Amino acid sequence: MAGKNGKQKTARDMILSMGVIVLVAGVIYLFIPHDDSPRETKRVDYRVELLTARRAASYPVAAPDGLPDAWKATSVRYQGDEFEAWHLGFHDPEGEYVAVEQSTQRRPVFVDERTQGAKETGRTEKIDGRTWTRYAGGRYDALVLEGTKGSTTVVTGTASFAQLTKMADALKTE
C-alpha cells in the first residue's frame, strides 16, 4: 500500500505544479504589454546604392523617377558578383509589394526566380514607348521589358498590373 500512496502523491504533485505554471504564465501574459497591430514598414533611401550600381553595372540601372511619396522604398541592394543583380523594393499606396529587378543572369532563369514561377501570358503592352510582356503567377505578377541586350529588367510583385505599370512607366536609367 505504501507504493500506491507514493505514486498518487507524485501524480498529484505533478498536476499541482502544472497548474501553478499555467497560472504564472497567464499572469505574465496579462501584464506584459504586447502590440498586435502591424508594424510600419521603414522607408529606405536608395540614392547612394543607385549611384554605386550605375557606376558598377555593365547595363543601364533602372530606378523610378517622379513616383508620389505614397510609394515607399523598403529594400535596395546591388550585388556586383556573377550576375550583377539590382533589386529595389517598394510598397505601393495600397500596401502591396512592387520590385524592380535587373540582372545579367540568363533571362529565363532570372525571370522565373524573380517572379516566383509566373508564366508568360502572351500579352504585351507599350509603356513609355517600350514593350513589356505580362507574366501572371500564383503569388507574383510581372512585367518584363523586351528588347534589352545584356540584361533583363523585371517589375514584379503582389500589386495589380495597374500598379506594376505605374512603376514601369516611372523607370529611368539616367
Side-chain angles (χ1 to χ4, degrees):
M1 288 239 206
K4 186 176 180 187
N5 190 19
K7 286 182 182 177
Q8 286 176 343
K9 193 173 185 180
T10 304
R12 189 189 80 209
D13 289 346
M14 190 167 42
I15 291 170
L16 287 173
S17 295
M18 288 297 292
V20 169
I21 290 171
V22 168
L23 183 65
V24 169
V27 168
I28 289 172
Y29 178 78
L30 288 175
F31 289 103
I32 292 182
H34 48 280
D35 184 10
D36 294 336
S37 62
R39 293 184 185 184
E40 170 119 6
T41 306
K42 205 173 179 182
R43 184 182 299 267
V44 298
D45 185 358
Y46 59 89
R47 291 175 296 185
V48 172
E49 287 86 352
L50 177 60
L51 291 172
T52 302
R54 284 183 171 165
R55 276 189 237 123
S58 63
Y59 56 86
V61 174
D65 184 30
L67 281 177
D69 282 343
W71 288 76
K72 185 186 297 186
T74 58
S75 59
V76 61
R77 75 180 158 275
Y78 174 74
Q79 295 171 308
D81 59 1
E82 198 174 341
F83 299 120
E84 296 184 55
W86 168 246
H87 161 85
L88 185 55
F90 284 83
H91 277 181
D92 74 0
E94 298 161 1
E96 295 295 328
Y97 180 68
V98 178
V100 177
E101 307 280 358
Q102 289 182 286
S103 178
T104 58
Q105 187 175 14
R106 278 192 36 229
R107 182 183 176 99
V109 174
F110 181 69
V111 170
D112 186 59
E113 286 177 2
R114 294 302 186 248
T115 65
Q116 297 189 5
K119 302 295 180 205
E120 186 175 342
T121 64
R123 292 183 59 195
T124 61
E125 54 189 276
K126 288 274 191 195
I127 303 170
D128 195 30
R130 301 173 289 188
T131 302
W132 296 77
T133 300
R134 280 188 175 207
Y135 282 68
R139 180 174 171 140
Y140 284 2
D141 292 327
L143 296 170
V144 179
L145 182 60
E146 298 298 328
T148 56
K149 294 198 192 292
S151 69
T152 303
T153 301
V154 178
V155 175
T156 188
T158 59
S160 66
F161 275 111
Q163 294 298 81
L164 297 177
T165 299
K166 286 178 186 176
M167 176 60 78
D169 189 40
L171 291 181
K172 305 293 181 241
T173 55
E174 61 272 341

